[in-house]
Amino acid sequence: MTGTSGDNSGFGRQAGEERGRTFKSANQTLRPEAGTPPPRRSRRARSQFVVFLNFVFSSIVFLVILAGFAFYFGKREFHQPGPSRTADTVMIKPNTGVRQIASLLEREGVISDARIFSLGVRAYGADSELKAGEYAIDAGASMHEIMELLKSGKSVLYSLTIPEGQTVFQVFERIRETEELSGTLPEEMPAEGSLAADTLRFTRGMDRGAVVEKLLEDQQELVDSIWARRDEDLPVKDKNEFVTLASIVEKETGIADERPRVAAVFINRLRKGMRLQSDPTIIYGLFGGQGKPSDRPIYRSDLDKKTPYNTYLIDGLPPTPIANPGRAALEAVANPSQTDELYFVADGTGGHVFAKTLKEHNENVARWRKIERERRAEEENAGENGSN
């Protein structure tokens, strides 16, 4: 009985368990069962501060990558050839900042991006090293090359040539007409003969007054140095007479080899008490520093017009120079040729023929006048043939 009752009790439990079990339909059986749910985030992970730090870190990484790309492309743009196809000049005024310079360069079409130029200049630490001036920028010059050029200060240089034998008035006119210069000329002209005959190199905007000062200083230095090496037996008493005689030699001949010989003629005449009889002194006495009009000849009557400069009528030298003599004329007077010649006249070829006696000189003058007559006749014939 005991075994039987035990078996029945086990069966009862089994039946009870089966009665308590929930049976699934076929559709329910085919549905996938839900997986294990994820673990809940910790309270620290859900903190707003941690989220902010993650955002900041991500932003920094992004910005670093972006800055790296920007630096790479900016540097490449800074060093690669520029957009200009032709050479150009750009004027940078004093006290102009990097941004203004960059904007100017972009407007002129020599760089592609003003911002990149500004940043590049600052990256190289050159923002305070760019110098004012006028610069010649080569075609296709890179921003880096332009930066180095502006750092160097190698501006465009212009030339002003003052020829030997010009008067102070003529030099002032030349300076006034030079457009690359600025400012005004001194109201009062310096003494005749006091300006150097030279070629000046200058940057755009140089002051005209500074040019005059430079020419004055150079001439003074030149005269002093040559005067110190002069022949002690010269018949001139001071530098004014020295420069005056040099100015006459300058106006008498443009041939360098002749200047010491022409100077010797005048010095020989001064030693003998003879008048110089120089045509350029007559012209200066009549027309001053403005010079004789090119179409106006010297008339015979001009020789008789009394002026302080007419060496056909006055003894010795004129009171002042008649032009600005150059180095060669000053050297010629300081150390003239050693000759006994007292006369010279044009030879028809651009030079002069010299003579020791009046007889020889008159013969030379006759030949010169014959040459002049023949030339005038040829010009008249040519004019008649042209009109026909």
Side-chain angles (χ1 to χ4, degrees):
M1 289 295 293
T2 301
T4 303
S5 63
D7 292 337
N8 291 338
S9 62
F11 178 80
R13 284 197 303 273
Q14 183 177 2
E17 290 176 355
E18 289 179 354
R19 284 193 302 270
R21 182 181 301 171
T22 304
F23 290 94
K24 297 180 179 179
S25 65
N27 290 336
Q28 290 177 331
T29 303
L30 293 175
R31 291 177 183 172
E33 295 184 3
T36 306
R40 298 183 63 187
R41 297 178 66 187
S42 66
R43 184 172 298 175
R44 180 180 179 183
R46 293 195 305 271
S47 168
Q48 294 288 339
F49 180 69
V50 173
V51 172
F52 175 72
L53 287 180
N54 289 337
F55 171 75
V56 170
F57 179 76
S58 300
S59 299
I60 292 174
V61 171
F62 174 76
L63 291 175
V64 169
I65 295 173
L66 185 63
F69 276 108
F71 177 79
Y72 170 76
F73 287 109
K75 184 176 181 181
R76 188 180 69 171
E77 183 74 13
F78 195 73
H79 285 268
Q80 72 179 8
S84 61
R85 299 295 181 89
T86 59
D88 200 358
T89 56
V90 174
M91 184 70 183
I92 307 298
K93 295 181 180 179
N95 303 318
T96 304
V98 175
R99 288 185 179 180
Q100 290 83 359
I101 292 174
S103 298
L104 172 63
L105 295 175
E106 184 177 29
R107 288 196 305 271
E108 294 293 328
V110 296
I111 65 172
S112 57
D113 194 310
R115 292 168 298 180
I116 293 177
F117 182 83
S118 298
L119 292 172
V121 169
R122 290 191 171 94
Y124 276 94
D127 47 325
S128 62
E129 299 180 35
L130 305 187
K131 299 177 177 64
E134 185 180 18
Y135 295 93
I137 299 177
D138 295 332
S142 68
M143 296 187 196
H144 182 265
E145 291 170 337
I146 295 173
M147 177 192 73
E148 292 296 331
L149 177 63
L150 269 58
K151 284 172 58 181
S152 71
K154 295 179 180 179
S155 300
V156 175
L157 292 178
Y158 295 89
S159 295
L160 172 63
T161 299
I162 307 299
E164 294 89 345
Q166 285 201 335
T167 64
V168 169
F169 177 88
Q170 292 167 336
V171 173
F172 267 46
E173 287 300 297
R174 186 175 288 258
I175 295 173
R176 182 180 289 107
E177 293 169 359
T178 303
E179 296 179 354
E180 293 81 11
L181 295 172
S182 64
T184 58
L185 287 163
E187 293 183 5
E188 185 176 348
M189 291 187 184
E192 193 68 81
S194 62
L195 299 181
D198 199 1
T199 296
L200 297 181
R201 302 277 286 172
F202 64 93
T203 57
R204 181 184 289 274
M206 184 176 182
D207 185 71
R208 289 182 172 87
V211 172
V212 173
E213 288 297 323
K214 172 68 173 168
L215 295 175
L216 283 168
E217 292 173 5
D218 290 351
Q219 185 74 339
Q220 184 65 55
E221 182 179 346
L222 178 64
V223 170
D224 289 345
S225 65
I226 297 176
W227 174 257
R229 296 182 279 105
R230 74 190 184 283
D231 184 344
E232 293 295 338
D233 294 330
L234 291 179
V236 293
K237 62 184 179 182
D238 54 30
K239 291 179 185 176
N240 177 66
E241 290 192 350
F242 171 62
V243 176
T244 298
L245 182 53
S247 71
I248 296 174
V249 172
E250 186 73 75
K251 297 297 288 186
E252 284 284 3
T253 180
I255 300 177
D257 294 342
E258 280 192 352
R259 289 192 180 106
R261 203 170 173 183
V262 171
V265 168
F266 288 128
I267 288 171
N268 291 338
R269 293 177 75 91
L270 286 173
R271 284 174 175 156
K272 290 180 176 293
M274 299 173 64
R275 289 174 176 170
L276 298 185
Q277 296 184 327
S278 170
D279 289 352
T281 62
I282 296 175
I283 295 171
Y284 192 86
L286 294 174
F287 301 99
Q290 298 184 36
K292 179 180 73 67
S294 58
D295 58 347
R296 203 273 198 187
I298 298 179
Y299 300 114
R300 180 67 190 177
S301 59
D302 292 336
L303 304 182
D304 300 325
K305 291 179 180 178
K306 189 170 181 59
T307 73
Y309 292 87
N310 188 342
T311 54
Y312 281 82
L313 300 178
I314 66 170
D315 297 327
L317 291 162
T320 70
I322 61 172
N324 296 298
R327 176 184 291 274
L330 290 165
E331 294 278 8
V333 172
N335 294 280
S337 299
Q338 299 300 313
T339 73
D340 296 327
E341 296 164 342
L342 296 170
Y343 306 92
F344 63 88
V345 69
D347 62 3
T349 63
H352 296 82
V353 58
F354 295 81
K356 296 179 182 180
T357 67
L358 181 59
K359 180 177 181 297
E360 290 177 319
H361 177 61
N362 288 335
E363 292 173 354
N364 294 333
V365 171
R367 280 193 293 269
W368 166 240
R369 288 176 177 169
K370 180 181 178 182
I371 292 172
E372 283 189 314
R373 287 194 299 269
E374 292 174 351
R375 284 182 177 174
R376 283 197 295 268
E378 290 177 359
E379 291 174 359
E380 290 174 0
N381 291 334
E384 291 176 359
N385 293 334
S387 62
N388 295 332

